[in-house]
Amino acid sequence: MDILASILSTFAKFVLRNVDETMSWIIRRLLRGAMIVISWFVIPYSWIKTFGTKRQKLPPMSNSLLEIPAVDLAQMIRTRQIKSEHVVKAYVDRCKQVNPLLNAIVEERFESALQEAKAVDEFLASTTKAVEDIERDTPLLGVPVSVKESIGLRGMSNQAGLRFEKHRRAKEDAPSVAQVRKSGAIFLLVSNTPELCMMWETFNNITGQTNNPHDLRRTPGGSSGGEASLLGAGATLLSLTSDIGGSARLPAMYTGVFGHKPTPFVVSPYGHVPTSGDPRWGEYFTVAPMTRYAVDLPLLLKCMRDPEGPAVDVDQSVDVKTINYFYMDNDGPSGLTRPLTSDMQRAILQVARHFNAQKVDIDLFKWSFDISVSQLLRIKDIETIYNHSWEDEKNKKLSTEWLKYLFGCSNHIFSSVLIGLLQKFIQSLPQRRHDQFEGIAKELKSQLVHLLGTNGVFIYPSFPTSAHQHYRIFHKLLDTSYMMVFNTLGLPVTNVMVGMDKDNLPIGVQIVASPQQDHLCLAVARELESAFGGWRKPPQAS
């Protein structure tokens, strides 16, 4: 009887597995077909919106202070070689120059920042404190920093692009902001996000649409598009952003800068809109550093770090020649994502050749979209327009809000309205299916951690294309699985700028490591910045 039961059980598993494989194949074909159909509407719409618009150029960067990395600026300020006031003023002036074209700033605090910079200079002129002690206690003293508007900066706008009945301001600093403030940094502004940070395109009904500094007709990505746009334009230097599905990495890639998603809980995930009551929230979501120069990522991450978080030594010395390198130039292939452009393919191969990386074939990556959507859309109590506890705001009803949107009466953008429907659909799938995806995710993470160990990195595409025209993300939604999968797996990953494509737009790659090996990602980013040139100025008017 035991033998018979075993045979029947094996047969049942075989049937279920084949049924699941068949269903997955059908769903993939339907999803890919849906993206093609959506493109029939999105592409003409984006053409119409940009018809006759010339590729405008930004004003030139005339102040040399704008081109100094933060590590050097901080040293020059504390040794009194330059004044913090002059640095802050240079960035204030640059923001005023470019923001009318970029539309990236939600609210500024320029006057307060200049007063704080003067106070820093006065302190440095009178103190007897040793330079080494100043560096230890306040490593960012006098250096300007900007913040994504969804992250709490005391007294500043904090509603993530959502139209509230009463304007919402942060009552206190988010933990990550408090850490950076403690380091001596000076906050300049809060920047634009899509509504509730739920889209890879930065647009909302309050501030409007943010543009890419390399081509104003194109998107800087999202949801950290405001910060990325300012960084790419030379209007900020260090940025506090966030990442739950590539929100720091895609904008960094689109604008030619560097974005790092840390190991979970290295930086506190709290003090953000939206947030969640799910204990696993911080396993998927994190506040994340984004910088114009790779050499600044370790400094900013160290200043943002949660003292109670897992140990990550970003100052650890790394010989990049001794690291083990691996790469892939596809996602399985899954049959869901678009092929990499020739420029993206070339970027991956150039980076792989630079390190003599070994090509690997990890078949489970073909499930990236499935496992990511299954886990991310089932996060409990995540704030949406349908589920929140904001004062003076009522939860919306799904059916009512859809009707209002279809008739042009909703106050919300498409992604905010859509999220409720997607959550309901994913949550309606059989628990057996979610258990299967969770098992695949665990196995994929296990394979990667075993491959990389504590001295290996994985080179992987950030996205199949460079920055596209506004709105075209809607027929490329499946391509975000290249980024989402690493939030699902809880691995540290850095987008690294590695060159320009045939349209003179930035392209980048992801560098992935095992948990708590963030220092490897950051060391490789610095090496690639040195080898490939890093950030480049966007086209500037003569």
Side-chain angles (χ1 to χ4, degrees):
M1 290 295 293
D2 290 342
I3 295 174
L4 179 60
S6 177
I7 292 171
L8 289 172
S9 174
T10 302
F11 178 72
K13 288 178 182 178
F14 173 79
V15 171
L16 281 173
R17 185 166 60 249
N18 279 274
V19 167
D20 287 341
E21 289 281 353
T22 302
M23 285 300 297
S24 292
W25 185 89
I26 293 170
I27 291 170
R28 285 165 190 268
R29 299 287 76 75
L30 289 172
L31 286 172
R32 186 68 261 162
M35 292 297 104
I36 293 170
V37 171
I38 290 170
S39 73
W40 297 343
F41 299 93
V42 171
I43 292 175
Y45 180 73
S46 68
W47 279 339
I48 292 168
K49 292 288 285 187
T50 58
F51 181 74
T53 305
K54 294 182 179 179
R55 188 168 177 174
Q56 284 181 274
K57 297 180 180 179
L58 298 181
M61 294 175 65
S62 56
N63 193 324
S64 61
L65 291 175
L66 298 172
E67 299 182 50
I68 303 174
V71 289
D72 298 326
L73 270 183
Q75 178 67 8
M76 293 168 76
I77 289 170
R78 61 178 164 258
T79 55
R80 306 171 184 83
Q81 297 175 57
I82 56 174
K83 289 183 178 294
S84 173
E85 182 185 1
H86 295 163
V87 175
V88 171
K89 187 176 187 308
Y91 277 96
V92 167
D93 291 344
R94 183 62 177 168
C95 284
K96 290 179 178 179
Q97 268 189 329
V98 300
N99 195 57
L101 295 170
L102 301 177
N103 191 38
I105 299 174
V106 174
E107 188 176 17
E108 46 87 358
R109 58 185 307 278
F110 295 155
E111 288 304 316
S112 296
L114 286 166
Q115 291 302 315
E116 290 168 14
K118 288 178 184 177
V120 167
D121 293 331
E122 289 169 3
F123 162 75
L124 290 171
S126 60
T127 188
T128 57
K129 191 173 183 178
V131 171
E132 294 78 10
D133 294 335
I134 295 172
E135 181 178 9
R136 182 195 64 224
D137 298 337
T138 51
L140 286 177
L141 185 65
V143 177
V145 176
S146 55
V147 184
K148 186 177 181 179
E149 194 257 0
S150 56
I151 302 169
L153 176 60
R154 187 176 63 245
M156 300 294 285
S157 179
N158 182 220
Q159 47 194 52
L162 186 65
R163 193 184 298 280
F164 285 80
E165 291 293 327
K166 184 178 178 181
H167 191 85
R168 175 184 170 126
R169 294 187 175 277
K171 296 178 180 178
E172 59 185 7
D173 288 338
S176 54
V177 170
Q179 288 298 115
V180 174
R181 193 188 292 278
K182 197 165 116 180
S183 76
I186 295 174
F187 293 98
L188 293 176
L189 56 88
V190 291
S191 63
N192 204 24
T193 77
E195 191 174 271
L196 290 178
C197 301
M198 291 183 180
M199 182 45 62
W200 294 273
E201 165 94 31
T202 298
F203 168 82
N204 59 62
N205 289 332
I206 303 174
T207 307
Q209 175 181 283
T210 297
N211 300 318
N212 191 312
H214 290 270
D215 185 344
L216 300 176
R217 301 166 300 181
R218 297 175 185 261
T219 179
S223 62
S224 304
E227 285 302 316
S229 181
L230 292 167
L231 280 168
T236 191
L237 186 61
L238 304 176
S239 294
L240 272 67
T241 71
S242 61
D243 194 308
I244 193 172
S247 293
R249 287 163 285 148
L250 184 66
M253 201 273 278
Y254 276 4
T255 59
V257 297
F258 298 83
H260 177 68
K261 186 203 84 66
T263 293
F265 294 105
V266 166
V267 179
S268 171
Y270 304 112
H272 184 271
V273 179
T275 188
S276 165
D278 194 322
R280 298 182 68 184
W281 172 243
E283 295 179 20
Y284 306 122
F285 171 86
T286 182
V287 174
M290 190 189 294
T291 63
R292 202 183 327 144
Y293 301 104
V295 293
D296 291 335
L297 273 177
L299 173 62
L300 182 55
L301 180 58
K302 184 167 64 172
C303 292
M304 294 169 65
R305 186 180 173 274
D306 185 348
E308 305 301 319
V312 170
D313 183 6
V314 296
D315 290 329
Q316 184 174 337
S317 178
V318 177
D319 182 353
V320 294
K321 294 179 181 177
T322 65
I323 294 175
N324 301 313
Y325 296 93
F326 307 91
Y327 80 99
M328 280 180 64
D329 57 4
N330 59 54
D331 65 340
S334 68
L336 284 174
T337 59
R338 298 154 62 91
L340 300 187
T341 64
S342 58
D343 289 312
M344 290 295 178
Q345 189 84 26
R346 173 178 51 81
I348 288 284
L349 293 177
Q350 282 181 328
V351 172
R353 288 180 190 136
H354 181 78
F355 293 117
N356 195 26
Q358 176 186 341
K359 189 171 186 179
V360 293
D361 182 14
I362 303 175
D363 183 65
L364 289 181
F365 268 115
K366 70 185 180 184
W367 295 101
S368 292
F369 183 80
D370 309 71
I371 63 178
S372 298
V373 167
S374 171
Q375 295 198 29
L376 297 180
L377 286 178
R378 289 189 303 130
I379 296 174
K380 296 177 182 176
D381 299 324
I382 188 169
E383 293 175 333
T384 69
I385 62 172
Y386 306 107
N387 173 49
H388 60 75
S389 58
W390 304 317
E391 296 175 4
D392 304 320
E393 296 289 326
K394 294 181 180 178
N395 288 329
K396 307 291 170 59
K397 291 184 178 179
L398 183 62
S399 57
T400 304
E401 202 56 38
W402 265 103
L403 281 172
K404 289 170 69 176
Y405 185 83
L406 291 173
F407 284 97
C409 301
S410 176
N411 290 326
H412 305 289
I413 65 172
F414 179 68
S415 55
S416 290
V417 178
L418 178 65
I419 187 68
L421 191 62
L422 292 177
Q423 286 176 320
K424 279 192 174 295
F425 172 74
I426 293 299
Q427 291 164 8
S428 70
L429 294 178
Q431 184 59 43
R432 176 183 62 80
R433 195 71 169 140
H434 292 304
D435 292 342
Q436 181 186 28
F437 289 146
E438 190 161 342
I440 293 171
K442 287 179 180 178
E443 177 60 23
L444 176 56
K445 181 175 182 177
S446 176
Q447 287 186 21
L448 281 169
V449 171
H450 178 75
L451 176 72
L452 301 178
T454 59
N455 192 43
V457 298
F458 179 58
I459 303 159
Y460 197 60
S462 296
F463 200 73
T465 68
S466 57
H468 44 251
Q469 289 177 305
H470 291 289
Y471 314 113
R472 293 198 181 187
I473 189 63
F474 287 105
H475 73 276
K476 298 181 179 182
L477 291 174
L478 304 179
D479 299 337
T480 59
S481 60
Y482 276 105
M483 300 170 295
M484 284 196 295
V485 65
F486 299 113
N487 296 86
T488 306
L489 301 179
L491 301 180
V493 51
T494 307
N495 175 81
V496 179
M497 159 68 170
V498 294
M500 310 294 279
D501 70 2
K502 59 182 175 58
D503 295 317
N504 203 32
L505 295 167
I507 49 179
V509 301
Q510 293 185 100
I511 306 297
V512 187
S514 294
Q516 295 179 255
Q517 307 306 314
D518 299 55
H519 63 287
L520 296 178
C521 299
L522 304 182
V524 172
R526 293 195 298 274
E527 166 64 19
L528 290 174
E529 178 178 52
S530 175
F532 292 91
W535 169 78
R536 300 181 192 180
K537 292 180 185 178
Q540 301 181 71
S542 55

